[in-house]
């Protein structure tokens, strides 16, 4: 829960805002949050966000600022850079990127000229991110893109990726995904990039916490550049870190981030990143990251035995994709909306090798992840209960067309019973527990 002092200050001064904060706190406590890119930041991370570092401006980098008064902000930024380097084993780090999308843009613009550069990355509907060259993102509009995908088993085919890379000759080869449930072989990606003369970029936004805790192999020393958000499995504030293998690359990236793309860094966020990195270096975080994966595996197995189509047959990380069209003839969106009605919050998602009907806004699947519920302290036994509640919800949905105003439930009472059980399961865990 938010620090009581901070809450009471807010309550005294701005009741309207306080009410909203309280409602969101309650929602996050009473619902089961399965969005794989979300988590619960610790009270210390939230406290750092609320410090006086929010008052300071400091365009530039430590020792090279455009403003005076940097004695503490320089020390802060240098400390957080050192923590990032130590945790991920890379010799250079930038902690100023405001979030994941600007971090990726920073890397592209560091190395590529608009309308000349070539990027090869995973297609959006197979699990890539918008900033990996989607036509609706500037990354897809400014650069020539070749998208690779999963094979018929919904997994990466490294030989096929190599063949495509040899033909396309990208300047930047990207791995790291938004919706891919398997381990990434960074060594293979590094080899392919070197063979075709590309810079290798691992966007490990989703799995940064797993890498930090040793629950996923590290991109070091295989990938040239690594980007990641700090607010997903890493459990920090909403921001990003960029790591680079050599000083020249880092220098180009630093310049691309500032003054290329951004103004002054958000020092309160950088302070909170520092706290999160400190937490991620603890033995407790190692246990947490392994439990995240154990919970995802168990949830996948339990759903599979109940007849759900788990994309790629299971998971090796923190997330699962279910193809609900294949298993239950249901559209992903109907399932996601219904699950929210009973208190289980996740997102509808495209899945690889889907039906012809799949569109980004009407996909065939849903995406589930265990970072948040593991932070709350849930274990494998709780995954059995959760799988049963998800299964009952999905089986209680009507298939086929539903007319305007018609209930999607086969049985409204069953939906109410499930919602009560979800609330009971959720509230039996705190919203932050180590
Ligand atoms: C792989 C990946 N890269 C980048 C981003 C973008 O991060 P942000 O939303 O912080 O800009 C995301 C966000 O979901 C992501 O999953």
């Amino acid at each position: 829960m938010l620090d009581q002092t901070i809450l009471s200050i807010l309550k005294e001064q701005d009741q309207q805002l306080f009410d909203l904060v309280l409602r969101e706190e309650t929602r996050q406590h009473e619902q089961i949050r399965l969005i794989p890119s979300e988590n619960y930041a610790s009270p210390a991370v939230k406290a750092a966000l609320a410090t006086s570092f929010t008052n300071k401006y400091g365009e530039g980098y430590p020792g090279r600022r455009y403003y005076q008064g940097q004695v503490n902000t320089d020390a802060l930024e240098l400390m957080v850079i050192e923590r990032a380097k130590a945790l991920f084993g890379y010799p250079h780090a930038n902690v100023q990127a405001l979030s994941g999308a600007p971090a990726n843009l920073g890397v592209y613009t560091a190395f590529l000229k608009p309308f000349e550069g070539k990027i090869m990355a995973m297609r959006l509907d197979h699990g890539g991110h918008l900033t990996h060259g989607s036509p609706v993102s500037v990354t897809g509009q400014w650069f020539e893109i070749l998208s690779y995908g999963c094979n018929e088993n919904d997994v990466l085919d490294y030989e096929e990726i190599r063949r495509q890379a040899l033909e396309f000759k990208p300047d930047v080869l990207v791995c790291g995904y938004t919706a891919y449930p398997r381990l990434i072989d960074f060594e293979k990606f590094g080899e392919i990039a070197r063979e075709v003369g590309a810079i290798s970029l691992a966007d490990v936004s989703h799995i940064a916490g797993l890498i930090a805790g040793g629950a996923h192999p590290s991109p070091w020393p295989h990938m040239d550049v690594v980007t990641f958000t700090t607010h997903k499995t890493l459990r920090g504030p909403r921001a990003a870190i960029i790591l680079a293998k050599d000083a020249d690359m880092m220098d180009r990236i630093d310049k691309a981030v500032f003054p290329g793309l951004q103004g002054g860094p958000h020092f309160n966020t950088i302070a909170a990143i520092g706290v999160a990195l400190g937490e991620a270096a603890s033995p407790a975080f190692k246990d947490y990251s392994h439990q995240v994966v154990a919970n995802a595996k168990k949830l996948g197995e339990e759903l599979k035995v109940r007849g759900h189509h788990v994309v790629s047959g299971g998971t090796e990380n923190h997330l699962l994709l279910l193809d609900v069209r294949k298993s239950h003839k249901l559209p992903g969106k109907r399932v996601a909306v219904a699950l929210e009605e009973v208190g289980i919050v996740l997102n509808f998602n495209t899945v690889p090798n889907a039906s012809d009907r799949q569109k980004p806004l009407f996909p065939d699947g849903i995406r589930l992840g265990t970072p948040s519920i593991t932070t709350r302290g849930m274990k494998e036994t709780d995954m059995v209960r959760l799988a049963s509640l998800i299964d009952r919800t999905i089986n209680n949905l009507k298939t086929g067309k539903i007319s305007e105003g018609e209930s999607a439930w086969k049985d409204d009472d069953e939906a109410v019973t499930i919602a009560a059980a979800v609330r009971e399961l959720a509230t039996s865990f705190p919203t932050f527990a180590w």
Side-chain angles (χ1 to χ4, degrees):
M1 292 297 259
L2 250 186
D3 183 281
Q4 287 313 310
T5 328
I6 292 172
L7 271 187
S8 47
I9 292 169
L10 206 53
K11 183 171 167 29
E12 234 165 73
Q13 184 171 319
D14 193 331
Q15 185 70 41
Q16 195 180 8
L17 202 109
F18 172 79
D19 287 345
L20 266 178
V21 173
L22 208 59
R23 263 188 268 160
E24 181 59 13
E25 289 264 328
T26 308
R27 184 191 75 78
Q28 291 187 15
H29 181 62
E30 293 183 350
Q31 293 185 327
I32 292 181
R33 299 168 61 225
L34 295 180
I35 295 175
S37 47
E38 292 184 359
N39 214 324
Y40 295 89
S42 73
V45 167
K46 289 193 278 195
L49 284 170
T51 59
S52 300
F53 277 121
T54 198
N55 300 335
K56 186 69 194 114
Y57 227 98
E59 286 175 346
Y61 290 97
R64 296 176 282 145
R65 307 274 190 200
Y66 290 81
Y67 294 76
Q68 298 309 113
Q70 307 293 342
V71 57
N72 299 314
T73 42
D74 275 7
L76 168 74
E77 189 168 341
L78 288 171
M79 184 194 84
V80 178
I81 286 171
E82 286 310 312
R83 287 189 184 185
K85 284 158 53 178
L87 190 62
F88 290 93
Y90 268 74
H92 305 280
N94 177 303
V95 297
Q96 289 197 9
L98 300 178
S99 217
N104 285 342
L105 202 55
V107 175
Y108 299 148
T109 53
F111 300 110
L112 307 177
K113 285 202 170 68
F115 312 111
E116 283 181 24
K118 291 161 81 173
I119 299 170
M120 183 169 156
M122 172 83 105
R123 48 193 274 196
L124 188 66
D125 61 343
H126 280 208
H129 187 256
L130 286 166
T131 57
H132 299 174
S134 160
V136 298
S137 148
V138 291
T139 61
Q141 294 158 12
W142 290 357
F143 306 110
E144 191 183 340
I145 306 292
L146 180 76
S147 301
Y148 58 84
C150 294
N151 66 14
E152 66 282 4
N153 299 319
D154 308 324
V155 294
L156 294 169
D157 178 342
Y158 293 93
E159 254 325 293
E160 176 57 15
I161 291 167
R162 179 172 173 267
R163 192 195 62 70
Q164 287 178 281
L166 283 166
E167 205 168 286
F168 181 62
K169 300 214 176 339
D171 300 303
V172 177
L173 176 63
V174 185
C175 69
Y177 314 104
T178 290
Y180 185 67
R182 294 288 167 182
L183 297 182
I184 300 166
D185 190 334
F186 295 117
E187 192 172 353
K188 284 216 176 96
F189 268 106
E191 268 169 29
I192 297 169
R194 277 191 297 282
E195 192 178 352
V196 302
I199 286 164
S200 53
L201 165 62
D203 175 354
V204 299
S205 290
H206 264 259
I207 54 174
L210 305 185
I211 292 166
H216 189 291
S218 168
W220 175 261
H222 312 295
M223 304 300 286
D224 296 323
V225 180
V226 179
T227 55
F228 54 92
T229 50
T230 48
H231 47 268
K232 298 186 172 83
T233 45
L234 195 59
R235 215 162 59 184
R238 306 194 70 86
I241 291 177
I242 306 171
L243 306 169
K245 210 170 170 176
D246 73 51
D248 178 55
M249 283 182 183
M250 194 77 258
D251 188 48
R252 292 173 72 148
I253 293 166
D254 282 346
K255 287 186 176 118
V257 171
F258 174 84
L261 288 169
Q262 297 182 179
H266 296 186
F267 288 117
N268 60 325
T269 308
I270 291 174
I273 295 174
V275 175
L277 293 173
E279 290 175 358
S282 69
F285 196 87
K286 210 178 199 14
D287 295 344
Y288 164 72
S289 68
H290 284 90
Q291 190 64 50
V292 166
V293 177
N295 282 350
K297 283 187 174 168
K298 184 67 178 169
L299 186 59
E301 284 160 17
E302 292 294 320
L303 287 165
K304 221 164 141 180
V305 295
R306 288 168 173 81
H308 294 267
H309 183 100
V310 181
V311 170
S312 87
T315 182
E316 293 165 326
N317 59 24
H318 63 302
L319 69 82
L320 292 157
L321 287 169
L322 297 187
D323 188 328
V324 288
R325 171 118 21 222
K326 273 193 187 130
S327 59
H328 290 75
K329 295 191 173 57
L330 284 164
K333 193 169 179 178
R334 187 179 303 172
V335 175
V337 169
L339 282 165
E340 184 176 7
E341 257 183 64
V342 299
I344 296 172
V345 181
L346 42 66
N347 63 286
F348 53 87
N349 216 94
T350 53
V351 289
N353 302 308
S355 70
D356 297 341
R357 301 163 73 159
Q358 174 165 271
K359 307 245 168 6
L361 270 175
F362 295 98
D364 283 1
I366 55 172
R367 189 181 65 148
L368 310 79
T370 51
S372 297
I373 54 174
T374 307
T375 294
R376 296 184 72 167
M378 290 194 192
K379 298 262 165 45
E380 285 93 328
T381 45
D382 307 301
M383 296 307 104
V384 182
R385 275 175 80 187
L386 183 55
S388 161
L389 292 166
I390 293 169
D391 177 59
R392 279 170 62 188
T393 306
I394 293 177
N395 281 313
N396 190 29
L397 279 172
K398 293 176 189 164
T399 53
K401 249 193 146 34
I402 293 176
S403 46
E404 188 87 9
E406 182 188 345
S407 168
W409 300 118
K410 290 176 185 161
D411 178 347
D412 288 323
D413 292 340
E414 164 75 344
V416 172
T417 311
I418 297 169
V422 168
R423 200 169 175 283
E424 195 203 313
L425 178 61
T427 54
S428 62
F429 290 89
T431 43
F432 194 89
W434 283 97

